[in-house]
Amino acid sequence: MTAFAPILKRAVPSPIRAAVKRYLRRVAAERYYMTPVAETDDHQVCELSRAADATLVIITFNAPELTEWQLYGLDRHFGDSKLVIIADNSTDARARMRIRSLAHEYGAVYRGLPSPPRTTPSYSHGLALNYSYRNLLRATQSTYIAFLDHDIFP
């Protein structure tokens, strides 16, 4: 049994070492991903939110078709009493261009988020939510604020 001890020690990381690595990766990703947007973006969102009863942030990821359906539904059911911010977390350049044009077409504010450091969907989505709150929603003056995924239809 003692002959296998060095092999097991190298093959199986200690829980403390694994926890420290996870923590350092998370801190590094947040520092990279949480770079603030330009101050003019905050002012634009702030000005637009004054006239809106609700600010809706759509986190989208490589799905322009779903985003179009959602924008259509929001426009149909809410009219002009809302500010829609599209936080684009896409990794595909063509999807980003299409989502940007949809935002312009429907009068939404488009923000392309920094490319996620990892493409794990849940991790990437969590970073996008944090980024949107820290950099976009703090400036809003709407009565109501909501986060929507691109695949939720009104």
Side-chain angles (χ1 to χ4, degrees):
M1 183 70 169
T2 57
F4 293 105
I7 295 171
L8 290 175
K9 191 172 187 178
R10 278 186 274 145
V12 180
S14 72
I16 294 173
R17 188 174 20 192
V20 168
K21 283 182 179 180
R22 262 194 319 274
Y23 172 77
L24 292 174
R25 275 195 301 265
R26 185 181 59 79
V27 167
E30 284 184 3
R31 282 190 183 153
Y32 166 76
Y33 201 73
M34 295 302 161
T35 54
V37 295
E39 198 169 306
T40 55
D41 292 342
D42 289 340
H43 291 305
Q44 180 190 15
V45 170
C46 184
E47 290 298 318
L48 291 171
S49 69
R50 286 188 181 155
D53 294 332
T55 299
L56 308 171
V57 178
I58 300 171
I59 306 292
T60 185
F61 183 79
N62 292 337
E65 300 83 16
L66 295 176
T67 304
E68 184 173 15
W69 276 100
Q70 188 175 54
L71 287 170
Y72 171 76
L74 288 172
D75 204 36
R76 184 173 171 209
H77 293 293
F78 287 96
D80 294 332
S81 64
K82 70 191 174 329
L83 168 64
V84 177
I85 301 172
I86 296 179
D88 190 2
N89 200 27
S90 299
T91 55
D92 181 25
R94 285 182 291 168
R96 276 190 182 251
M97 287 190 311
R98 177 71 178 126
I99 291 168
R100 180 186 299 239
S101 68
L102 287 170
H104 181 70
E105 181 181 331
Y106 282 93
V109 176
Y110 176 85
R111 292 293 176 264
L113 303 183
S115 298
R118 289 162 56 191
T119 56
T120 308
S122 297
Y123 188 76
S124 174
H125 187 74
L127 287 174
L129 288 168
N130 286 334
Y131 181 91
S132 298
Y133 175 74
R134 289 179 184 172
N135 293 305
L136 300 173
L137 288 182
R138 284 188 179 177
T140 63
Q141 297 181 6
S142 299
T143 306
Y144 302 101
I145 295 172
F147 281 102
L148 301 171
D149 283 346
H150 62 276
D151 55 355
I152 296 176
F153 300 105

